[in-house]
Amino acid sequence: MHPSFLVKKIIAENLLPKPVHALDLGCGEGADAIALAMMGHEVDAIDRHGESITVLNQKSRNLKINARQQTIESFSITPRQYGLVVANNSLPFLSDKGLIQSKLADMFNGLGQNGVVAFSLFGPKDGWGNNTNIALFNEKELEQVSKSFPGKTYYQSTEEGYGLTVRKRLKFWHLFRFIGVKSDNLQV
């Protein structure tokens, strides 16, 4: 199991030069949480699926990971608590764009000074586009999300192509990826 593209990029580009308290929303079986904890970060990992949390707990016995079964929508993010908040391919499953935008605002508010936020959203061409339980964003909506971030956009991309899901099924991905760094002089 390998960490997501976003977490690999954060690690490779040294956006977290010292250990931080991190939050992984929709952690699944914990690839990102484990990679971060192995680098010395303390990680809160949240997923709605109990079986995923069980697997994560088995894999991370000696790491600083606080994994728990909880939905993203019910998890309350304490303001200024985290140095990193990541939600890789999990926010679209909240299905309601208003709820996603509210959770993104909570993620931004959960960052301390120079905190990093990383997330992905699905575009209108995504292979899961026919599923009414998944929210799809267009480029204009993504631009609004990006403008609402209280900091600097470090990385933003639009990607399309075939790839595997977590369950090793082939699908067409239409992804918007975002990494931002909260500015020191901005109050949230």
Side-chain angles (χ1 to χ4, degrees):
M1 184 171 4
H2 302 286
S4 68
F5 169 86
L6 292 171
V7 169
K8 285 180 190 176
K9 187 162 188 69
I10 289 165
I11 292 169
E13 300 194 17
N14 200 31
L15 293 181
L16 302 172
K18 61 181 183 176
V20 299
H21 191 185
L23 173 61
D24 186 355
L25 291 171
C27 64
E29 294 181 1
D32 287 343
I34 290 169
L36 291 165
M38 289 177 73
M39 297 194 66
H41 304 289
E42 180 180 342
V43 183
D44 292 339
I46 308 301
D47 199 276
R48 66 181 173 172
H49 299 290
E51 58 275 6
S52 295
I53 296 300
T54 299
V55 170
L56 173 53
N57 283 330
Q58 290 169 348
K59 291 179 180 179
S60 64
R61 293 191 195 281
N62 297 318
L63 297 172
K64 291 182 181 178
I65 298 177
N66 174 26
R68 67 176 143 190
Q69 181 182 1
Q70 188 170 352
T71 64
I72 292 172
E73 38 295 38
S74 70
F75 183 76
S76 178
I77 302 173
T78 304
R80 296 176 205 73
Q81 180 174 353
Y82 295 103
L84 170 66
V85 179
V86 63
N88 184 62
N89 293 350
S90 57
L91 294 175
F93 293 95
L94 300 182
S95 74
D96 177 82
K97 289 182 186 179
L99 181 58
I100 293 169
Q101 290 170 328
S102 175
K103 189 50 72 172
L104 283 167
D106 290 346
M107 291 166 62
F108 299 159
N109 287 331
L111 296 174
Q113 286 188 347
N114 296 315
V116 177
V117 65
F119 61 89
S120 55
L121 298 172
F122 299 159
K125 299 178 202 169
D126 195 86
W128 286 329
N130 293 332
N131 186 333
T132 58
N133 294 323
I134 294 177
L136 304 176
F137 282 74
N138 62 42
E139 291 195 26
K140 186 175 182 180
E141 292 167 324
L142 182 66
E143 185 178 319
Q144 291 172 334
V145 167
S146 182
K147 286 180 180 178
S148 72
F149 177 64
K152 296 180 182 180
T153 299
Y154 182 83
Y155 175 84
Q156 189 169 332
S157 71
T158 301
E159 299 166 31
E160 296 180 36
Y162 285 94
L164 297 177
T165 67
V166 173
R167 294 190 174 112
K168 307 291 185 221
R169 294 189 180 128
L170 187 66
K171 76 173 273 286
F172 188 82
W173 292 93
H174 185 191
L175 290 172
F176 297 125
R177 291 182 171 148
F178 179 89
I179 299 174
V181 179
K182 187 174 175 184
S183 298
D184 274 346
N185 57 354
L186 291 177
Q187 293 294 322
V188 182

